[in-house]
Amino acid sequence: LVAHRVPAETTDEGKSWLKRNAQREGVISTESGLQYKVVSEGPPDGPVPGPKSICTVRYRGSLIDGTLIESNMKRGNPTRYLPSKVMPGWSEALQMMK
């Protein structure tokens, strides 16, 4: 799952990027402003995490120009999070994963 969300303080440049990103093939936008693209999916009847489910994730965070700001992928080990304990966009995205 690749996810992006529009915070209230988003700049005009960021809003423009999100508008273009929403037009990319496979990108889905939710009512909250979260944009995501499924890159790999589990079985249709597979489990879906809830707010208190422990989720093991690999992530890469970057700026709109592609500058990497955070990643656990280079370290080679995933991180565990509870959806109820992370920022709203992550919480929403984690609870949609299969």
Side-chain angles (χ1 to χ4, degrees), residues 69-82:
I69 56 172
E70 178 71 30
S71 174
N72 70 358
M73 295 177 85
K74 281 188 174 183
R75 295 190 294 269
N77 56 333
T79 307
R80 296 165 51 108
Y81 293 108
L82 294 174

Side-chain angles (χ1 to χ4, degrees), residues 3-81:
H4 308 280
R5 187 164 184 272
V6 184
E9 67 278 358
T10 301
T11 64
D12 288 341
E13 182 182 14
K15 289 176 185 173
S16 176
W17 185 91
L18 286 163
K19 187 175 181 179
R20 288 190 313 275
N21 189 62
Q23 302 306 311
R24 291 183 179 167
E25 184 177 343
V27 172
I28 301 165
S29 299
T30 67
E31 191 174 308
S32 73
L34 175 72
Q35 295 179 349
Y36 69 96
K37 179 177 181 178
V38 176
V39 293
S40 178
E41 188 170 22
D45 60 344
V48 177
K52 298 189 186 275
S53 300
I54 297 173
C55 298
T56 303
V57 299
R58 292 185 181 151
Y59 65 89
R60 178 184 183 275
S62 60
L63 302 175
I64 60 175
D65 67 1
T67 302
L68 181 67
I69 56 172
E70 178 71 30
S71 174
N72 70 358
M73 295 177 85
K74 281 188 174 183
R75 295 190 294 269
N77 56 333
T79 307
R80 296 165 51 108
Y81 293 108

